[in-house]
Amino acid sequence: MKRIKFLLQIDKYLLPILFCMMGISLLVIFSTTKGVDVSLASSLVCQQLSWFALGGGFFVLGVLVDYRFWYRISSFIYIVMIVLLFGLFVMPSVQNVHRWYRFGPLALQPSEGAKIIVVLVLSVALDRWRKGLDSWKRTLQLGAMVFVPCLLILRQPDLGTTVVIALVSLLQFYFAGVRPILLRFFGYAALFSVTLLSLVFLKIVPFTLFKPIATMFIKEYQYERFNPEGYHREAAQTAISLGGVWGVGWGNGEFTSYSWLPAAHTDSVFPAFIEEFGLLGGGFVMLLCFGLVFLSIRTSYVVQDFFGQMLALGVGSYFAVHILLNLGMMSGFLPITGVPLLLISYGGSSVMVAMFALGLLQSIYSRRFMF
């Protein structure tokens, strides 16, 4: 009964946001795939429903278990994550990439779980080393904790997930007050990178200029995603423009439903939704997404312990980075690197991890008066 009490004390604004996002996900998945095969569309909707149901179990687990329990076993969880990421390279590749463990019809993608595990482990480390965060020793240790999983994920290759983990970690370092000179260095590096990308996308700098250097670190097909004239980028912008202000109506989006928009039910759900529901619908989706970020920030303000604060801010950063990257990619401001729009894009691993992250957040919120 005591644990059920915490389940009843979750943030009252969360569930309406969550159910709205689930409903939008099911609408987009069906409408974007029915033009190819109605039976396939129904199958994908049923599969997504099953992921939501399983994710609901992870959400309840996150709420019922005291978030400080994960503090005690964080080292073990980190080691398991590294072992799973290493183990992918001894498994048969799928389409020349090493991202999944296959169990019959099911697939497990450890890199999705690594996102929230890194958030958890960093929150623990930042709490334990709170008094020495301005030292180079602690800074290098924190950097190494992030670098190892990022390197393994980049070698899969999975550039999008690597970028997400790196950005979320930097935000956690900033919130905790890790050595400012290091944050300034990475801040300037990020600004420099964004400036270069902008010059490439504006066609001021030739797209091929950086190819010899870039392909030393990433695959050639990954570099092609930076092409300002790439089909996926142009198709996403076309879908958005076709939607106008009001949209063409649910199920009437011919551009997305007949596969002219790549990955319309996965990474490209945002432009697919705008084609049918217009910019007003897109604005509603953005409001829901950033509502999750707001709830995370609010939780960080009401919780009493530093670990809880860092964990809540880490979860908020996890959602914020996904949202900004996905919307930026689909709007033509960023290269398309395969970052899903959490809880709306089709997918099992991302849904379960996102639901567990929300469960962690609510575990913090429901226990905010225990200190």
Side-chain angles (χ1 to χ4, degrees), residues 72-216:
R72 296 191 290 271
I73 64 169
S74 60
S75 298
F76 173 75
I77 295 174
Y78 183 82
I79 293 171
V80 171
M81 175 192 70
I82 297 299
V83 170
L84 288 175
L85 291 175
F86 263 117
L88 287 171
F89 296 99
V90 300
M91 301 293 290
S93 63
V94 179
Q95 298 177 347
N96 296 319
V97 297
H98 298 270
R99 295 183 190 173
W100 300 277
Y101 287 100
R102 296 286 183 179
F103 304 98
L106 300 178
L108 172 67
Q109 189 175 0
S111 59
E112 282 294 331
K115 297 174 184 177
I116 202 63
I117 290 174
V118 170
V119 166
L120 172 64
V121 172
L122 280 185
S123 299
V124 172
L126 290 168
D127 181 66
R128 287 176 176 170
W129 301 336
R130 186 178 179 183
K131 295 182 179 179
L133 292 178
D134 58 344
S135 70
W136 280 109
K137 176 184 176 181
R138 295 306 188 195
T139 300
L140 292 174
Q141 287 176 319
L142 290 167
M145 291 170 61
V146 178
F147 177 76
V148 174
C150 281
L151 179 63
L152 291 172
I153 293 170
L154 186 61
R155 295 298 300 169
Q156 291 181 1
D158 189 345
L159 179 61
T161 298
T162 305
V163 171
V164 169
I165 293 176
L167 290 178
V168 172
S169 301
L170 282 176
L171 286 172
Q172 282 192 277
F173 292 164
Y174 172 77
F175 292 133
V178 173
R179 201 170 185 87
I181 189 173
L182 183 70
L183 295 176
R184 284 198 296 270
F185 169 77
F186 283 112
Y188 289 136
L191 180 61
F192 178 72
S193 301
V194 171
T195 302
L196 282 181
L197 283 175
S198 300
L199 292 174
V200 170
F201 275 91
L202 292 172
K203 302 181 182 179
I204 297 174
V205 175
F207 162 69
T208 56
L209 181 63
F210 304 105
K211 187 174 182 178
I213 299 174
T215 50
M216 295 172 61

